[in-house]
Structures are given as structure tokens and as C-alpha cells.
Amino acid sequence: WAKHKQLPLFGGFYNQIGRKNTEIEVKTYPESVLDQYDMTPNERWIKDGITIEAQRFYNVGYDQYDQRIIFPIRSAETGMLMGIKKRCNYLTTDESDPKYVYEKDYACLMSQTLFNYSESYGDLYGNEVWVVESEKTCMIGYGFGVKNIVALGSHSLSEKQAQLILQLNPKRVIMALDEGLDFEATETNLRLLKSFSALRDIEFLYWDTTLDSTIKGTKCGPCDNGAEYFKKVKNEQLRRWNYDKNSEK
């Protein structure tokens, strides 16, 4: 796994914006941690649209002990392993058994990184950057060539994540949270990004999921319905966001 060289924007100026007096320490682990898992591609995720190639690229594996699919969370700055996230490989309605959990010995602060940032840095820097919720959305997109995309791991953008996005020197940023969320979540994230980009003229857009009634209630991401639907999202369902006027088409 090769790490792309990253160049700090404006000599690292954005590294300093909003920096707190104390830095949050990010713990990392050796790659050998992954040796304990079965790294055979997972059939459930192949059916979900995550190709074998994508699963191998993102080091998707399987924990036989608790029947969960695993994938590494990496440091945006170094590409080193900083956590392992797990998804149940079975159906359950038990609220005490969440679909996604972190490996207890390798939990991490997702707010301090972005999924697919270090993995696809060369495709992100200086490009249009899509910001989504789910790591799976990034993996699905990889299968049909969409690599300029990062995942928050939630619907809420942190200050650190905002800084990381701006360090990519993006041409424009598209906030594409999952269907079903109130627009307030999208706008809160966009306002945070705007507040960190005072010296830049960046175009901000968002995915308006209300433009397509056929996906209502699906909680899908922009890549989750395949390559053709992603083209439809990109060409027909994006709206320009204006800081002063809230939003306009």
C-alpha cells in the first residue's frame, strides 16, 4: 500500500486555521494488525456493489469470531492504520447489536481523518471533491472509477475534517449526505467549510435528494445505486449553495 506525497496548501496555512491549543493525539498501529483477519473478498459486499478489486484496495477482510466484515480506517496525513471498523454480516433487529462498531482494541476518532483521503490523495488533490457519509459509498464508487470522494463516517463534519478537505485545494466541494437527512445537516457542514475558506473562492454544491421521489426512504448515498445513477446525481440533482442566500439552483 503506497502513500501519495501530500503537499500542504499555501505552505500549510490551512493546518493552522482553527487549531486548538492542544492537539488530539492520533494513535496508529502496524499493518500486521490485519493479519488476524480473513482477507477473502466478501460476498455480501459484492452483491452491494463493492467489487473484488475495491475490497482488495481498501483491505476489506472478515472477522470469523464475531461474523463481521472489517475495513481499516487510516490517518489522512500518514496513511497509517489508526482503527478498524466492522459491519455485521448477518440480519438483526437487536438494537443492542449495532450494524457498525469499531474493533475494541483498535477504536479511533473518525473526526480526525477522512476515509479514502490517503488512499486516493492523487485523485483528490486539485480536483472536485465529493463528501459523503459512508465508507461503503467510497468503495462502491471506486468500482466504477469515482475516486475523488471522501467519507465522514457520520453525517457531521468536524473542524479537522474541514481543514483536511481544504488542504486538497479543491476546485469545488459537493456535500452529498445520505438520502433522508434534513437539509440542516448539509447546511451546517457547508457553513463550517465556508468559515474555514475565507481566503478562497470555492464553489460549494450539495446533493438535493428530494429531486427524485424514487429514492425516498432508501437512505442511499450518491454512488450506492451504480454508475448510471451517479451520473444522474451529478448532472441533474446538484444545487449550488450560497453562504449568504442559503441555497439557489
Side-chain angles (χ1 to χ4, degrees):
W1 186 84
K3 173 71 170 63
H4 290 284
K5 183 179 180 182
Q6 299 185 15
L7 304 176
L9 181 60
F10 299 144
F13 175 79
Y14 283 114
N15 288 334
Q16 306 300 324
I17 301 179
R19 175 166 288 183
K20 305 299 182 182
N21 292 329
T22 58
E23 294 288 341
I24 296 176
E25 181 180 358
V26 174
K27 187 174 182 179
T28 58
Y29 306 93
E31 290 293 311
S32 59
V33 164
L34 297 174
D35 293 344
Q36 64 188 291
Y37 303 109
D38 178 0
M39 303 307 285
T40 304
N42 183 268
E43 184 178 356
R44 175 186 288 273
W45 274 16
I46 292 174
K47 291 179 179 179
D48 287 347
I50 302 175
T51 64
I52 291 175
E53 180 187 8
Q55 292 191 43
R56 288 175 174 163
F57 179 77
Y58 291 107
N59 297 123
V60 173
Y62 194 72
D63 188 334
Q64 298 283 358
Y65 178 75
D66 62 3
Q67 300 181 55
R68 286 181 178 270
I69 304 163
I70 69 97
F71 55 92
I73 302 297
R74 298 188 179 277
S75 163
E77 286 94 348
T78 68
M80 294 183 67
L81 182 68
M82 60 179 282
I84 294 176
K85 202 166 184 178
K86 310 172 81 172
R87 199 269 191 203
C88 62
N89 194 37
Y90 50 85
L91 297 176
T92 179
T93 57
D94 184 355
E95 295 183 0
S96 66
D97 185 23
K99 183 183 292 185
Y100 284 94
V101 297
Y102 286 102
E103 178 69 84
K104 63 180 181 179
D105 294 328
Y106 308 107
C108 67
L109 291 173
M110 191 67 204
S111 63
Q112 299 304 298
T113 191
L114 287 161
F115 185 80
N116 199 44
Y117 190 99
S118 57
E119 293 92 332
S120 297
Y121 185 84
D123 295 289
L124 289 161
Y125 187 84
N127 200 352
E128 168 184 281
V129 175
W130 288 70
V131 182
V132 301
E133 283 188 58
S134 171
E135 297 90 348
K136 278 186 69 179
T137 298
C138 293
M139 296 183 200
I140 293 170
Y142 181 92
F144 50 82
V146 177
K147 302 176 184 177
N148 55 321
I149 182 170
V150 293
L152 304 175
S154 71
H155 66 264
S156 180
L157 178 75
S158 71
E159 290 188 359
K160 175 66 175 181
Q161 289 173 328
Q163 292 170 12
L164 288 169
I165 291 168
L166 293 174
Q167 287 174 30
L168 292 171
N169 193 21
K171 294 179 179 178
R172 63 178 186 168
V173 177
I174 300 166
M175 190 64 58
L177 302 184
D178 289 356
E179 185 280 330
L181 275 174
D182 291 337
F183 178 67
E184 181 181 357
T186 291
E187 186 162 51
T188 296
N189 291 343
L190 289 170
R191 285 185 178 277
L192 179 60
L193 270 174
K194 180 65 176 179
S195 72
F196 277 82
S197 61
L199 303 181
R200 297 287 310 283
D201 183 20
I202 299 176
E203 185 180 21
F204 294 104
L205 298 97
Y206 67 94
W207 178 30
D208 187 352
T209 60
T210 65
L211 295 176
D212 185 359
S213 60
T214 67
I215 64 170
K216 186 175 181 180
T218 63
K219 300 182 180 179
C220 64
C223 299
D224 296 0
N225 294 315
E228 290 304 312
Y229 192 82
F230 178 77
K231 290 179 183 178
K232 183 176 180 179
V233 170
K234 187 172 183 177
N235 296 329
E236 303 175 18
Q237 298 176 10
L238 298 183
R239 288 183 179 271
R240 183 177 293 107
W241 181 80
N242 184 282
Y243 180 76
D244 296 316
K245 299 178 181 178
N246 292 327
S247 61
E248 60 183 19
K249 193 168 183 178

